[in-house]
Amino acid sequence: MLETKRRSWFVVIILTMLFLSACGSGGAGSSSDEGQSGKATIRFATWDSEENLTLQQGLVDKFNEAHPDIQVSLEAYGSEYDTKIAAGMGAKDAPDVMYMWNYPTYKDALEPLDSYLEKEGADFKNNYYETLWNYNSADGKVLGLPVGYTTHVVYYNKDLFDKANVPYPKSDWTWDDLQAAAKKLNNPDESISGFAFSGTPDPYDFEMFLWGNGTAYVDDSGKTQGSLNSQKSVDVLTMFQNMLKDGYAITTEGSGSTEMKSGKVAMFTNGAWSIGSLKEAGINFGIVELPSFKDGSAVSIVSSSGISMSKDSKNKDAAWEFIKFWTSEEANKARLDYELPVLKSVVESEKLQDDELKKVFYHMLEMSEGYTPASFKVENWSEMSEKLALVFEQIFNPSTLMDPKAVLDDAAE
Amino acid sequence: MEHAVKPHKRVRRWDKWTPYLFISPWIIGILLFTVGPLIFSLIMSFFDWPVTSSPKFIGLGNYTKMFTEDPQFYKSLLITLKFALFYVPLSLVTSLILAMLISQSVRGVKFFRTIFYLPAVVSGVAVSIIWGWIFNTKYGILNYALFLLGIEGPKWLIDPNSAIITIVIASAWGVGTMMLIFYTNIKSIPPDLYESASIDGAGPIRQFTHVTLPLITPTIFFNLITSTISALQQLTLVLLLTNGGPLKSTYFYGLFVYNNAFKHHKLGYASANAWFMFIIILLLTALIFKSSNAWVFYENEVKKERKKGGKKK
């Protein structure tokens, strides 16, 4: 009998322990990060997967070998990256170092890096393409070091151009040229379209077309009225809509890459992401700068990735050491196959300005200096982005094709 | 003897805890993962919490904003109610019909039972992806089949008018569980009731309306409540299939809450949204419960009444 009693006590104790351990796990986990034997532990979050991840793990291992006092662990968050980063920040358990692109959203949780940069000297900062600093800052403070970038360009199918006897586009072409070429390339009998663009474009990307025509989503004070619904903005959207109405362009669900791969689309715009898959699909394609607007220019948005430090990191010096390694020439070269280097010295030593495809992205980058996306100017970009996405859908959806002026006026209210 | 009994009594005291030990994994689970977050979200609904910085107390601010400043709130609520209005009756009727079919004694009925239940086993994510292919306007198999019949299929997920119907159809595929509940109830109806009904001259339809239907009202009641709740909480399908589009025509309340929390990083506001939906579900369930007196029929009710009646005599 006594034994039964003892057993009951045992059960109660186990239960209590279970509770305590479950409640305490959050705290225990983070305190163990400080590591034993004075080794600084750095958690590094990446959004990459598959081959890129293997490559990154290799780089991390290399760093760990060279730095016996620092231990970096790579955490791959994959497609749920933003959710996990946000959750980590909310729980004060963010990774020490992380990939970053959407700075305005996370700025409060990131360590400003200006003072770190100052210590490295002016040459360190000047080795980066200037345009990129704009994209890796918020509120005038640098919050991340550039890692990679892409500008947007026009991909064209050389075989389709040859077949239709249309000369390849040149870097100083205009939207009129693009439309004239698309009309000639369009061939309904073989269901070939002259030009393709996303029917639900990412509002962040689409602003570049407004820039090209000398306008933007918002003015410098962050107001949409008079910018988003300016005549110049209306003209841009009307131009795109007319291409659909005239029947030589189609809208796609994705970027247009899939349609290009099937050989049924002659031209579409995208960042560098399509190069690999188009090569794999055996498409004979070329790349050219975006066309310019009649009274405007050709400007591209920069889709950039950077690397940031958490404000709550306990090992900031070690974190900075790792960030420097991740943005070093060596690391830039290691990522050459899937990322466009951001260091001028690497572009020079690898002769990327002579690369027929890659030089276009660098030329586009130089042409796009001095523009700041609306996401850096307004407080609630994610909500505004949702609103703009609806605007584009209303204008491009085949069952609505609403009047651009009316829609933009309504949205600018 | 007496010596042996006393400690036994003491042990009894602990005996009453033993059942709790067996359900302790569940208790721990619900405290940590359901009740805890539930209370936490209620508290959070009174705060402004942009995730990346610390929460700020704003009282009823989130609730007033929801009712007075956010047109999307009403739109999403309306879309979800519309969806529930289509989905609940449709799923009840289909699952009942399927249950009737699989309770027939026909050759190969076991095979159909498995087939009909299968969609309930497949994960919601996989189902969504498959539906995405089926409903694809250009390459989808559904429009191809319609094309073979000489009909030009609608632009299922592209046309804002048909998108919500598409979601209803796709959701109604997952009625396997409801069908199973109906089925077990139908199977438990004593066969002598049908026998005496057929002796009284009732055909299959009268047997269904006068024997089966009244006897399964408690199950209909249960299924009505659970399907109403699941309809109001629908998220997976729209998140994966349409992401709220086209033109926000399937921007369900669940998606509205999800986006507020994880896309716009307004955790406090999203908590307030979620609690409002909780209250709506609570009221609806209470309403259905209240109405159940009028139409739900329990066998033991009758027996009791008969007993009472007998005594009166």
Side-chain angles (χ1 to χ4, degrees), chain A residues 323-333 335 343 346:
Chain A
I323 288 175
K324 269 198 311 189
F325 167 77
W326 204 253
T327 53
S328 65
E329 289 186 6
E330 181 196 358
N332 266 279
K333 281 178 194 167
R335 290 189 297 264
L343 297 174
V346 174

Side-chain angles (χ1 to χ4, degrees), chain A residues 1-2 4-5 8-9 11-12 15 18-19 22-23 80 82-83 86-87 89-92 105-109 250-251 253 259 382-383 386-387 390 393-395 397-400, chain B residues 4 7-8 10-11 13-15 20-21 24 27-28 31-32 49-54 65 72 136 138-139 155 158-160 245-248 251 258-260 262-266:
Chain A
M1 302 299 156
L2 251 175
T4 330
K5 190 184 163 190
S8 320
W9 272 112
V11 164
V12 171
L15 279 183
L18 270 177
F19 263 109
C23 300
E80 284 298 295
D82 279 87
T83 316
M89 287 170 176
K92 300 271 173 250
T105 307
Y106 299 105
K107 61 184 179 203
D108 296 331
I250 53 162
T251 52
E253 274 167 40
E259 287 76 3
S382 89
E383 280 161 79
E386 206 175 287
K387 199 161 143 191
L390 184 65
E393 238 191 311
Q394 286 168 329
I395 296 175
N397 187 302
S399 57
T400 43
Chain B
H8 186 75
R10 254 206 228 147
V11 170
R13 241 179 4 154
W14 293 109
D15 273 359
Y20 292 102
L21 169 64
S24 63
I27 292 184
I28 294 171
L31 283 178
L32 281 179
W49 191 20
V51 191
T52 50
S53 49
S54 350
K65 185 185 168 198
Q72 190 58 47
N136 189 305
K138 263 191 199 151
Y139 313 105
K155 291 175 179 167
I158 296 178
D159 186 345
L247 297 167
K248 290 206 165 179
Y251 205 82
Y258 178 89
N259 279 347
N260 277 339
F262 300 111
K263 216 165 134 197
H264 308 323
H265 293 170
K266 297 188 291 188

Side-chain angles (χ1 to χ4, degrees), chain A residues 183-216:
Chain A
K183 266 180 215 161
K184 280 185 213 154
L185 291 156
N186 195 48
N187 187 344
D189 297 336
E190 293 173 47
S191 60
I192 289 168
S193 302
F195 182 59
F197 60 94
S198 174
T200 50
D202 185 339
Y204 175 83
D205 292 345
F206 199 86
E207 193 175 15
M208 64 186 177
F209 298 124
L210 270 62
W211 290 346
N213 205 25
T215 177

Side-chain angles (χ1 to χ4, degrees), chain A residues 135-136 151 192 229 232 409:
Chain A
Y135 285 87
N136 287 282
T151 40
I192 289 168
N229 59 345
K232 284 175 174 174
D409 274 339

